[in-house]
């Protein structure tokens, strides 16, 4: 399938999320998360670093990529302002942008770590020091402020910073790109916001250069002064003393990639940017590589929750089917990067398989990264715990909190897209928007209680009858789907997992859908050894887990009976409208206090019922044992 832009995502300012599920999260984002993260940025010196860089004096505080946390907060704050305007938050935005602008060097360079500590090392350790990564998040924040709030002060800073990079790197100049991808996808966004296609071409050049030999990182390894500041590349990029580059996807040119390797967040950002570059270019070799790597990831290296990157040692991938539960890394940022890549694959193909993964990660592996209070977070997202995991208000390496904040602010954009004569509904959430479709102004409202209930309704208000198409995604998990359309009209066509209703729409027309949501027990590929003899429970887009809080004992001692249907029960004590699932099984009673082993079959068991809860809700009542994958007695008949 040729990559062509099928639609454009609506901007947060263009869509009002009325959904009872996501409204809670967006209210929390605006009231608590945005102020909380800003406070952390102040207390940890991240914003003060810009003040010191402007004054050209003082010490740098924190990790060398801390500037990026400020930029991600600004992007999230832009979305928050678009959906819930606040004079207090706007004042914080204005103040922060002014400090960033004051810190920028006359030639456009901007990186407070280098400016305050190592001004002689500009662009000399691209493999490790994240200069372009920080610039990428600067660009993303600037574009968010310009697109959603019409504020361009930071955009001017970002453009000058990118021009500084382009004065050094590019065709006919020095070959270079960042060890941590992000600038690539940001440059494509900058091209769209400014109308300057050369930024897109610069992104394409960087993507094409990565993996070629000799790598610019090989030369950097010989720079003793640069390595003295951060020699991580000498450990991460070499294998048996020979340059390998897998850690930062520099092992092969991208068109030769067959598997996803290395650091998970970096890989997701690379492929997201490459997908944007590939759209409308007719580069079938690049398209095939992206499709090939995607399939390898979702069929061999993805968690049930949509989490990716199993290993803490490289914050990334190891080998096929290596998906441990207790020691799962599954970084929040990696899940977010994965769903952002999926959204771009969806834009390029219109194929609902990518929307299925966006939904999976959004409701599970990414959303689990933030607590219900909006002020506590997970960095890794394991699928099992023995009580050692807990949510925390901040991290030394704090990439995840502002990243999950900007994700929540973009939920409307992930849910709905449009072209000149087509409305695309990817996620059946409640929303209101006004669009131009088929040459007419159309007001669209959607109602539903997803992910708890399976009814969904779209309603249209028009001044005059107008022909356009409405594409409604059929969730990949749905087995019993029904649609009802006003006046019956033409029957739906079904294309790439979407029900397509093309007709002349009149004022008051509606589409009603039902997804047939039911609990489903699933099993893993037999090569996933951690899940052998175990089963997991899903309902709609949600993955469920069992916590010690609900069982009364560690769930590691519980064996579920999947042949007994799971029963929907309230979980509103945890989240408004939430649905839990009551399951039945057996609790092992032997305490093994007399030794580590016992003859098979000598442990007593008693019947036990327990409520399972959605995975994203776990550990909101304090640390305790948890399992997604449970031992089971027999297969479902």
């Amino acid at each position: 399938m040729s990559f062509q832009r099928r639609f454009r995502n609506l901007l947060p300012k263009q869509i009002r999320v009325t959904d009872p599920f996501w409204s809670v999260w967006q209210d929390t984002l605006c009231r608590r998360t945005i102020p909380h993260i800003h406070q952390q940025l102040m207390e940890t010196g991240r914003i003060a670093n810009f003040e010191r860089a402007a004054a050209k004096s003082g010490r740098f505080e924190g990790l060398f990529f801390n500037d990026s946390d400020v930029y991600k907060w600004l992007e999230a704050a832009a979305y928050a302002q678009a959906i819930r305007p606040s004079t207090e938050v706007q004042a914080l935005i204005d103040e922060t942008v002014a400090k960033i602008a004051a810190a920028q060097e006359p030639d456009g360079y901007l990186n407070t770590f280098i400016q305050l500590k190592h001004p002689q090392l500009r662009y000399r350790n691209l493999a490790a020091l994240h200069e372009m990564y920080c610039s990428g998040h600067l660009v993303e924040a600037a574009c968010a402020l310009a697109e959603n709030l019409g504020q361009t002060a930071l955009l001017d800073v970002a453009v000058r910073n990118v021009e500084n990079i382009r004065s050094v790197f590019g065709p006919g100049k020095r070959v270079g790109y960042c060890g941590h991808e992000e600038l690539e996808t940001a440059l494509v966004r900058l091209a769209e916001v400014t109308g300057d296609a050369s930024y897109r071409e610069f992104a394409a050049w960087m993507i094409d250069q990565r993996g070629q030999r000799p790598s610019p990182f090989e030369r950097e390894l010989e720079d003793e002064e640069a390595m003295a500041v951060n020699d991580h590349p000498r450990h991460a990029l070499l294998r048996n003393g020979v340059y390998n580059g897998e850690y930062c996807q520099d092992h092969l040119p991208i068109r030769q990639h067959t598997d996803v390797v290395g650091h998970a967040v970096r890989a997701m950002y690379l492929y997201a940017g490459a997908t944007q570059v590939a759209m409308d270019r007719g580069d079938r070799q690049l398209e095939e590589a992206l499709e090939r790597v995607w399939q390898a990831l979702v069929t061999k290296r993805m968690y049930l929750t949509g989490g990716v990157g199993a290993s803490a040692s490289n914050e990334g991938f190891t080998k096929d089917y290596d998906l441990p539960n207790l020691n799962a890394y599954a970084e929040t940022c990696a899940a977010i990067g994965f769903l952002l890549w999926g959204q771009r694959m969806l834009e390029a193909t219109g194929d609902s398989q990518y929307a299925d993964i966006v939904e999976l990660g959004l409701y599970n592996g990414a959303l689990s990264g933030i607590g219900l209070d909006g002020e506590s977070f997970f960095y890794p997202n394991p699928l099992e715990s023995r009580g050692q995991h807990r949510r925390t208000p901040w991290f030394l390496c704090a990439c995840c909190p502002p990243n999950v904040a900007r994700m929540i602010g973009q939920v409307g954009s992930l849910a709905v897209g449009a072209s000149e004569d087509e409305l695309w509904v990817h996620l059946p959430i409640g929303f209101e928007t006004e669009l131009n479709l088929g040459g007419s102004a159309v007001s669209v409202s959607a109602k539903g209680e997803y992910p708890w209930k399976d009814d969904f309704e779209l309603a249209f208000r028009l001044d005059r009858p107008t022909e356009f198409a409405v594409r409604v995604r059929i969730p990949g998990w749905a087995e019993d789907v029904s649609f009802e359309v006003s006046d019956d009209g033409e029957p739906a066509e079904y294309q790439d997992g979407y029900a397509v209703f093309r007709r002349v729409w009149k004022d008051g027309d509606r589409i009603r859908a039902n997804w047939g949501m039911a609990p489903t027990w699933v099993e893993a590929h037999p090569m996933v050894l951690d899940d052998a003899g175990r089963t997991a429970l899903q309902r709609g887009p949600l993955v469920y887990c069992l916590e010690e809080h609900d069982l009364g004992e560690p769930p590691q001692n519980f064996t579920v009976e999947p042949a007994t249907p799971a029963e929907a029960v309230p979980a509103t004590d945890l989240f408004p409208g939430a649905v839990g699932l009551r399951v039945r099984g057996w609790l092992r009673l032997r305490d093994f206090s007399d030794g580590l082993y016992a003859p098979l079959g000598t442990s007593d068991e008693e019947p036990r019922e327990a409520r399972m809860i959605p995975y994203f809700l776990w550990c909101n009542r304090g640390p305790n044992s948890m399992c997604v994958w449970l031992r089971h007695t027999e297969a479902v008949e």
Side-chain angles (χ1 to χ4, degrees), residues 47-59:
I47 292 177
N49 285 333
F50 289 96
E51 297 176 293
R52 295 171 189 140
K56 301 187 184 306
S57 67
R59 65 185 182 89

Side-chain angles (χ1 to χ4, degrees), residues 239-374:
R239 181 176 295 174
N240 298 322
V242 178
Y243 186 80
N244 171 267
E246 281 192 357
Y247 178 76
C248 57
Q249 297 74 49
D250 195 40
H251 57 301
L252 289 169
I254 191 169
R255 290 166 182 78
Q256 298 176 31
H257 288 195
T258 57
D259 295 300
V260 59
V261 299
H263 189 281
V265 181
R266 301 176 193 224
M268 297 304 99
Y269 287 177
L270 169 65
Y271 295 130
T275 303
Q276 290 172 283
V277 164
M279 283 188 213
D280 302 315
R281 293 175 68 92
D283 188 341
R284 189 56 192 151
Q285 193 177 14
L286 179 56
E287 295 170 4
E288 289 175 349
L290 291 165
E291 291 169 335
R292 182 170 60 243
V293 173
W294 176 276
Q295 289 302 319
L297 174 54
V298 299
T299 60
K300 299 176 182 178
R301 299 187 178 185
M302 181 187 76
Y303 281 102
L304 181 67
T305 56
V308 293
S311 173
S313 64
N314 67 343
E315 296 187 299
F317 301 98
T318 54
K319 57 187 178 182
D320 292 346
Y321 309 114
D322 181 24
L323 295 167
N325 294 317
L326 181 63
N327 298 319
Y329 199 65
E331 182 184 338
T332 299
C333 284
I336 293 169
F338 188 23
L339 70 88
L340 292 177
W341 177 25
Q343 184 68 13
R344 286 152 177 78
M345 292 291 282
L346 177 61
E347 287 180 63
T349 66
D351 192 325
S352 70
Q353 66 169 307
Y354 302 110
D356 288 341
I357 298 300
V358 171
E359 179 182 80
L360 180 68
L362 182 64
Y363 282 93
N364 299 283
L367 191 58
S368 60
I370 184 170
L372 294 176
D373 60 1

Side-chain angles (χ1 to χ4, degrees), residues 555-614:
Q556 288 82 356
N557 295 334
F558 183 70
T559 301
V560 72
E561 283 188 348
T564 303
E567 177 187 355
V569 295
T572 51
D573 54 312
L574 297 177
F575 191 90
V579 174
L581 295 173
R582 180 183 290 125
V583 299
R584 294 173 175 83
W586 298 86
L587 185 67
R588 181 169 294 182
L589 300 178
R590 178 186 286 272
D591 63 8
F592 282 83
S593 59
D594 55 347
L596 187 60
Y597 304 102
L600 181 64
T602 61
S603 296
D604 292 331
E605 295 180 325
E606 69 175 21
R608 183 69 65 92
E609 292 185 349
R611 182 185 68 171
M612 297 183 70
I613 64 170

